[in-house]
Amino acid sequence: MDLALLDTTLADLGQPKFRARQVWSWAARGAAGYDEMTDLPAALRGELAERVPFSTLTVERETRSKDGTLKVLLSTHDNRKIETVLMRYKDGRGSVCLSSQVGCALTCTFCATGRMKFARNLTAGEILDQALYFRRQTDITNVIFMGMGEPMMNLDHVLAASRLLPDLGVTHRRTAISTVGWIPGIDRLTQTDMPIRLALSLHAADEDLRSAIMPVNDRYPLADVLAACERFYSVKKRQVFVEYVMLDGINDQPHHAEELAAVLDPVIYKVNLIPYNPTDSIYDGSARDTIAAFRDVLEARGVRATIRLTRGQDIDAACGQLAVKAAAA
């Protein structure tokens, strides 16, 4: 929902300011449209339906995984395509992976979005409308900005959307922003008043290998990125999640784990090892026993590590797979 348009429309209609709060409250609780907002006058509901689209996004396609994961293809007002994902867990969590940009400029070699051209940043309303789409279907408890795009390069809109996520039932402590290591954004997040979690997409502790996988490392070397993460921890006192996609024969050997353990302070970092499901990729995913052995090396060096339960692989909704094949159609 375009909340700025809502405000100006209500002002043009001579409505009191509390009307905007009423509309937003209904939307955040999962209302499907203005007609459900029974504490608004019927005539006003009709005016809003004509003048303020209930969502800035149009649903193009839904794809449901056998594990319950739901991926949605959405279209913006200028016909840009984005994807967002809802992952449901047996413990009751409903975790949403939000996109922050159309495409991505940072060209990480394992990431399908990185092979798309960057088009533009998403607005706060477009980011919120991804979460609201799922909120209309179910409760959501967690959000991670790990969809299409680099969130730290669109941080104003990401933070503006994040400020409203608690109204949907997602606290700041259950919101995380994932970054490839965009230091200006990490430093800005450090200074915010919201206790949002930080996740670092790392994937190699060797500078040359990391640059080969993630060209952004040439601009912001890993040593400098880790220093920014440590500044975040010193201010927020919140552990940083390290995301490490396991690529067969590339970054998954015991010496890679030794290198990773050597650069991570176990007080500050926890590692999530992510099985990789290749889709039109130059890489293959590591075997399960290889991932387990990698984890064992980290834990023997005192670094906490878990193997992520990967969801949505059968619908290309797993880590690094959001690419919007329809964008080229």
Side-chain angles (χ1 to χ4, degrees), residues 104-118:
C104 186
L106 295 183
T107 65
C108 295
T109 56
F110 67 90
C111 180
T113 308
R115 297 195 291 272
M116 295 175 59
K117 290 182 179 179
F118 171 76

Side-chain angles (χ1 to χ4, degrees), residues 9 51 65-66 98 144-145 211 220 238 256 274 299 320 326:
T9 301
R51 300 172 63 164
S65 168
K66 60 186 178 183
L98 296 179
I144 183 164
F145 287 89
S211 289
Y220 295 119
R238 306 213 73 202
H256 295 126
I274 304 173
E299 294 196 334

Side-chain angles (χ1 to χ4, degrees), residues 146-274:
M146 196 180 174
M148 297 172 61
E150 165 54 53
M152 295 298 186
M153 297 182 74
N154 187 22
L155 195 57
D156 286 339
H157 288 142
V158 166
L159 292 178
S162 296
R163 286 196 179 278
L164 292 173
L165 287 175
D167 294 342
L168 280 66
V170 182
T171 66
H172 296 322
R173 293 184 180 276
R174 291 184 175 178
T175 300
I177 297 177
S178 175
T179 179
V180 299
W182 196 259
I183 292 176
I186 296 172
D187 286 338
R188 281 193 59 203
L189 182 63
T190 300
Q191 300 306 316
T192 65
D193 59 350
M194 292 180 285
I196 293 172
R197 303 204 75 120
L198 174 64
L200 173 64
S201 185
L202 195 154
H203 314 309
D206 176 81
E207 295 280 8
D208 290 339
L209 178 56
R210 190 167 190 267
S211 289
I213 298 172
M214 309 174 71
V216 69
N217 194 68
D218 291 333
R219 180 167 184 172
Y220 295 119
L222 180 58
D224 295 341
V225 172
L226 293 176
C229 291
E230 286 153 23
R231 291 193 294 272
F232 173 90
Y233 178 82
S234 69
V235 172
K236 299 290 192 179
K237 300 297 187 269
R238 306 213 73 202
Q239 202 166 41
V240 177
F241 295 122
V242 169
E243 296 155 352
Y244 196 100
V245 170
M246 300 294 293
L247 306 174
D248 183 39
I250 302 296
N251 67 349
D252 64 349
Q253 298 303 297
H255 73 274
H256 295 126
E258 296 277 4
E259 292 168 352
L260 183 60
V263 300
L264 297 182
D265 183 335
V267 173
I268 297 174
Y269 300 99
K270 177 184 176 183
V271 177
N272 290 322
L273 301 176
I274 304 173

Side-chain angles (χ1 to χ4, degrees), residues 48-121:
L48 291 175
E50 290 184 7
R51 300 172 63 164
V52 183
F54 195 68
S55 176
T56 61
L57 304 172
T58 302
V59 178
E60 298 286 339
R61 184 173 65 246
E62 279 189 2
T63 311
R64 192 176 301 272
S65 168
K66 60 186 178 183
D67 63 25
T69 298
L70 182 64
K71 182 173 76 169
V72 183
L73 175 66
L74 300 163
S75 180
T76 64
H77 71 92
D78 55 349
N79 203 33
R80 305 290 186 179
K81 302 296 190 295
I82 59 171
E83 288 180 334
T84 183
V85 176
L86 169 68
M87 296 158 285
R88 295 188 178 95
Y89 296 90
K90 291 180 180 179
D91 62 5
R93 284 177 298 147
S95 184
V96 176
C97 180
L98 296 179
S99 293
S100 56
Q101 297 179 314
V102 182
C104 186
L106 295 183
T107 65
C108 295
T109 56
F110 67 90
C111 180
T113 308
R115 297 195 291 272
M116 295 175 59
K117 290 182 179 179
F118 171 76
R120 67 171 176 84
N121 288 329

